[in-house]
């Protein structure tokens, strides 16, 4: 069992203790606050999205959505039924590797627009054909009124600096994309230019990060008392968007966007994949360091490189190669059949995916983690099928399973750091017995002197609400006494007040890890219980639900939002041109 013991030693390098979690949560919260104050002040970009509330499940309409989330591009039409349900029609195509590193942005966005054209011609042929026929009867291509146009939500799952609901410039590429020509350019305009070149009846109405879409979709399909707090992606990449008080977004102070938020809230895109690039609190094994050094973006996205599905398989591959090279371990290297319970010598094919960078997909980890078969038969078959390992022994399979469990557990515990920090920052877990903070006159005066009039208004409203609470309670008691007076000669006994249910926090999640990696949510919850301020009592009050088709449905919902702020619908699902820089307001 020397191999298994050696594998356990390597697996121990991926431990992330309770103390590690607590330090990371503290740092994450500090970075959240710093990123709200000013751009560049934090490893978390904290990008305002101009979405000022969340849906409530009553929204209706037919909308178009596209999703560039990584290696695939998805086009879909979404029919919202208004009862928290929807119908989705979609197509998905792989983005060619060459286009992910194309010389110009036009090459990639031309490909995306072409897929939209194919989708419309396939799934909305009547309206598409009518549009084409009408256009061809005009004297010029531009000589028709821009009606009967699909309003499109564009889910773009890369860091952007968003200037309005339908404008945002690319900050950097992640997930293996690397097109310098696109940096600093408006991705909505890039897509619209190529859509217009094909004369398609489509307007890019909203720019949506997939995490924002996940948050919106969760609120639409599972509306609660206050809507979802957080949308999180745990798949090819990882990121989160959460609902923040506009008064806390210092870098928006005095802006029209801040003043226009009727709810006082705004969804903020954290871009948490870049959390702690300086590695103050994140773990850093030799395998992590080697992976980062050989990546297309060394030194950045350090959180994502330890959490997301794109990188877990590569971390595992490097750890397995380390065991293969260790003379004391000799993974897949039994010397003769007598040391192999299958009575056959183990060998690895020269063209095995083990020898190829990015050769192991995260689905491999999920299959191994799920294996409870006798003699780990499923793992051994997967090694043969996926990695061309001939006749792997039971000990080989046990060693691989040790590594898989450790790498997956670390990913989940780091995911809990991000979730836990956002939950604590929101204050939504505060029990009914714990009174909310009431701003005093000093805080209100400080906000006024700082010309933070919106913050002063919120503080004043909170103070008045707190002052009115006891008066309202007395009034309710007096009314109840008048309606149900005590009997003569009897002693009045006030009915016991019903217990106030403790508040819950709803989290919407999407991605292959949280959906398919066995026990990923349970591992997250285990870590949440170790975070002060959540603990064993708070963790059960956090609901975590899969937001199916989050990027598509969420993008459609935000396209609807943009339509509510702009011209009225011409007819269901087809709208007049999008008003640039329109303020955003979602009814809750």
């Amino acid at each position: 069992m020397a191999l298994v013991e050696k594998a356990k030693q390597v697996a121990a390098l991926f431990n992330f203790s309770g103390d590690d979690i607590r330090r990371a949560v503290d740092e994450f919260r500090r970075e959240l606050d710093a990123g709200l104050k000013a751009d560049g002040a934090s490893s978390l970009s904290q990008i305002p999205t101009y979405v000022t509330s969340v849906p409530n499940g009553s929204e209706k309409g037919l909308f178009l959505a596209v999703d560039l989330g990584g290696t695939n591009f998805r086009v879909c039409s979404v029919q919202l039924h208004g009862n928290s349900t929807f119908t989705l029609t979609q197509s998905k195509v792989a983005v060619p590797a060459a286009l992910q590193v194309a010389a110009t942005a036009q090459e990639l966005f031309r490909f995306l627009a072409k897929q939209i054209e194919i989708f419309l011609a396939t799934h909305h042929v009547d309206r598409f054909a009518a549009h084409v026929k009408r256009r061809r009867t005009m004297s010029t291509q531009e000589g028709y009124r821009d009606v009967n146009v699909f309003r499109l939500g564009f889910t773009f799952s890369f860091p952007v600096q968003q200037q309005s609901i339908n404008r945002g410039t690319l900050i950097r590429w992640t997930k293996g994309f690397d097109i310098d020509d696109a940096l600093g350019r408006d991705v909505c305009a890039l897509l619209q230019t190529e859509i217009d070149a094909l004369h398609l009846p489509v307007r890019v109405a909203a720019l949506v990060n997939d995490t924002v879409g996940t948050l919106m979709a969760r609120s639409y399909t599972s509306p609660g008392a206050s809507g979802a707090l957080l949308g999180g992606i745990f798949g090819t990449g990882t990121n989160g968007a959460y609902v923040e008080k506009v008064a806390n977004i210092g870098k928006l102070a005095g802006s029209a966007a801040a003043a226009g938020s009727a709810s006082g809230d705004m969804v903020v895109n954290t871009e948490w994949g870049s959390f702690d690039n300086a590695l103050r609190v994140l773990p850093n094994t030799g395998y992590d360091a080697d992976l980062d050094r050989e990546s297309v973006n060394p030194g950045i996205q350090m959180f994502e490189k330890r959490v997301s599905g794109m990188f877990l398989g590569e971390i595992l591959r490097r750890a397995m190669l380390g065991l293969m090279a260790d003379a004391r371990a000799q993974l897949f290297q039994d010397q003769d059949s007598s040391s192999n319970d299958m009575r056959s010598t183990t060998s690895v094919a020269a063209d095995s995916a083990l020898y190829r960078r990015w050769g192991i997909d995260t689905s491999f980890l999920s299959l191994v983690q799920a294996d409870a078969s006798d003699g780990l038969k499923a793992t051994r078959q997967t090694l043969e099928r996926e990695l061309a390992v001939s006749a792997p022994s039971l000990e080989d399979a046990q060693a691989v399973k040790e590594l898989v469990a450790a790498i997956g557990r670390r990913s989940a515990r780091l995911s809990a750091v991000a979730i836990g920090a956002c939950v604590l920052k929101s204050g939504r877990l505060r029990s009914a017995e714990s009174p909310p903070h009431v701003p005093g006159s000093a805080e209100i005066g400080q906000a006024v002197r700082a010309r933070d009039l919106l913050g002063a208004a919120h503080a004043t409203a909170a103070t008045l609400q707190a002052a009115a609470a006891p008066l309202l309670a007395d009034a309710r008691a007096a009314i109840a006494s008048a309606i149900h007076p005590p009997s003569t000669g009897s002693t009045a006994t006030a009915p016991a007040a019903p217990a106030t249910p403790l508040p819950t926090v709803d989290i919407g999640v999407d991605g292959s890890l949280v959906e398919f990696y066995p026990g990923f949510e349970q591992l997250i919850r285990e870590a949440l219980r170790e975070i002060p301020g959540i603990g064993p009592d708070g963790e059960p009050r956090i609901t975590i639900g899969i937001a199916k088709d989050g990027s598509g449905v969420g993008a459609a919902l935000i396209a609807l939002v943009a339509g509510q702020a702009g011209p009225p619908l011409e007819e269901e699902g087809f709208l007049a041109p999008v008003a640039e820089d329109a303020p955003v307001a979602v009814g809750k």
Side-chain angles (χ1 to χ4, degrees):
M1 297 295 287
L3 170 57
V4 174
E5 291 305 314
K6 188 63 180 177
K8 289 180 177 179
Q9 293 176 21
V10 175
L13 299 175
F14 295 96
N15 286 345
F16 198 64
S17 69
D19 286 341
D20 293 330
I21 287 174
R22 289 184 280 275
R23 282 192 295 271
V25 168
D26 289 344
E27 177 65 12
F28 203 104
R29 293 185 68 184
R30 186 189 71 78
E31 295 270 10
L32 285 171
D33 289 334
L36 291 174
K37 293 175 182 176
D39 290 330
S42 166
S43 63
L44 300 176
S45 298
Q46 293 288 76
I47 301 168
T49 66
Y50 303 90
V51 176
T52 55
S53 190
V54 294
N56 60 18
S58 65
E59 294 77 9
K60 294 181 179 180
L62 175 65
F63 298 90
L64 197 64
V66 297
D67 174 17
L68 182 62
T71 54
N72 293 315
F73 180 63
R74 186 164 65 122
V75 185
C76 53
S77 56
V78 182
Q79 179 71 59
L80 304 172
H81 300 303
N83 58 356
S84 295
T85 66
F86 61 89
T87 302
L88 182 141
T89 303
Q90 67 173 336
S91 66
K92 187 179 347 184
V93 62
V95 178
L99 290 181
Q100 298 176 35
V101 292
T104 66
Q106 183 184 33
E107 296 173 63
L108 173 64
F109 285 90
R110 181 189 296 148
F111 170 82
L112 304 184
K114 187 64 178 178
Q115 304 314 307
I116 296 172
E117 180 182 48
I118 293 170
F119 179 86
L120 292 177
T122 302
H123 298 287
H124 296 279
V125 61
D126 292 343
R127 288 172 170 172
F128 178 63
H131 172 84
V132 172
K133 180 179 179 181
R134 181 168 56 86
R135 176 173 60 78
R136 288 174 177 171
T137 62
M138 299 300 170
S139 58
T140 67
Q141 292 179 342
E142 295 76 26
Y144 59 91
R145 286 196 312 123
D146 211 359
V147 296
N148 292 347
V149 174
F150 265 118
R151 191 175 291 276
L152 178 144
F154 182 18
T155 298
F156 186 76
S157 305
F158 302 89
V160 296
Q161 185 63 53
Q162 196 159 350
Q163 289 87 24
S164 71
I165 191 66
N166 61 351
R167 263 196 342 213
T169 55
L170 178 63
I171 297 173
R172 63 182 176 274
W173 290 106
T174 58
K175 307 172 190 175
F177 280 68
D178 188 18
I179 306 173
D180 287 343
D181 179 54
L183 298 178
R185 298 176 67 182
D186 180 359
V187 295
C188 288
L190 287 169
L191 181 59
Q192 188 68 61
T193 296
E194 299 307 318
I195 287 173
D196 291 344
L198 295 173
H199 310 294
L200 302 180
V202 176
R203 277 285 178 269
V204 181
L207 177 62
V208 185
N209 185 275
D210 55 354
T211 56
V212 183
T214 297
L215 171 61
M216 298 289 279
R218 176 65 179 177
S219 285
Y220 178 79
T221 57
S222 300
S226 58
L229 167 70
L230 171 69
I233 299 293
F234 303 96
T236 303
T238 185
N239 189 20
Y242 72 103
V243 179
E244 179 60 88
K245 292 295 180 185
V246 173
N248 294 337
I249 309 176
K251 57 190 175 185
L252 285 185
S255 69
S261 172
S263 67
D265 294 331
M266 183 177 289
V267 178
V268 172
N269 169 22
T270 67
E271 289 298 337
W272 72 34
S274 63
F275 168 62
D276 193 30
N277 285 334
L279 298 179
R280 285 184 287 266
V281 295
L282 288 179
N284 193 37
T285 69
Y287 309 111
D288 296 310
D290 289 345
L291 181 152
D292 176 59
R293 185 174 57 253
E294 297 176 23
S295 69
V296 298
N297 54 353
I300 61 175
Q301 298 297 111
M302 301 304 260
F303 186 74
E304 183 170 76
K305 287 172 180 173
R306 288 150 178 78
V307 170
S308 74
M310 178 174 182
F311 298 98
L312 299 189
E314 180 63 8
I315 293 172
L316 173 65
R317 187 186 74 87
R318 291 169 183 270
M320 290 169 68
L321 287 177
L323 285 181
M324 290 171 66
D326 189 334
R328 296 167 296 176
Q330 295 189 328
L331 179 66
F332 307 139
Q333 295 180 43
D334 59 287
Q335 297 302 308
D336 55 60
S337 59
S338 64
S339 61
N340 188 324
D341 64 307
M342 294 186 71
R343 296 295 184 266
S344 178
T345 302
T346 303
S347 62
V348 181
D351 61 350
S352 167
L354 272 168
Y355 302 127
R356 237 179 16 249
R357 287 181 59 195
W358 314 108
I360 298 181
D361 187 78
T362 303
S363 61
F364 175 87
L365 281 77
S366 296
L367 289 169
V368 173
Q369 182 66 15
D371 186 10
S373 61
D374 290 340
L376 296 180
K377 182 179 179 180
T379 295
R380 294 155 86 173
Q381 290 175 339
T382 303
L383 286 167
E384 291 209 48
R385 183 178 64 253
E386 303 289 339
L387 303 184
V389 178
S390 175
S393 68
L394 173 59
E395 195 173 14
D396 289 329
Q398 290 170 333
V400 171
K401 194 170 178 67
E402 288 284 346
L403 297 179
V404 165
I407 292 168
R409 184 171 185 266
R410 188 184 71 165
S411 171
R413 289 172 74 79
L414 287 169
S415 301
V417 167
I419 293 172
C422 291
V423 168
L424 291 174
K425 188 180 190 317
S426 75
R428 292 195 188 183
L429 270 187
R430 186 170 44 225
S431 70
E433 290 76 23
S434 301
H437 170 66
V438 178
S441 58
E443 290 182 52
I444 297 173
Q446 182 180 7
V448 172
R449 286 190 295 274
R451 297 184 181 275
D452 181 10
L453 300 184
L454 186 64
H458 284 306
T460 303
T463 302
L464 292 174
Q465 184 179 20
L471 297 177
L472 289 172
D474 290 344
R476 291 191 186 99
I479 292 170
S481 178
I483 295 173
H484 302 290
S487 303
T488 303
S490 66
T491 302
T493 302
T500 303
L502 294 177
T504 59
V505 179
D506 191 53
I507 310 294
V509 293
D510 196 8
S512 56
L513 272 178
V514 73
E515 188 170 3
F516 299 119
Y517 187 90
F520 198 78
E521 181 183 335
Q522 287 69 33
L523 291 169
I524 289 175
R525 290 188 173 279
E526 175 188 281
L528 289 174
R529 291 192 289 271
E530 300 177 42
I531 299 175
I534 298 178
D537 294 331
E539 175 269 316
R541 291 161 50 199
I542 299 173
T543 59
I544 300 176
I546 297 290
K548 293 297 293 180
D549 296 306
S551 58
V553 176
L557 284 162
I558 299 178
L560 178 150
V561 169
Q564 289 176 338
L569 295 176
E570 296 284 336
E571 57 180 279
E572 186 185 46
F574 291 83
L575 302 96
V578 178
E580 291 288 328
D581 300 324
V584 182
V586 184
K588 173 61 183 171

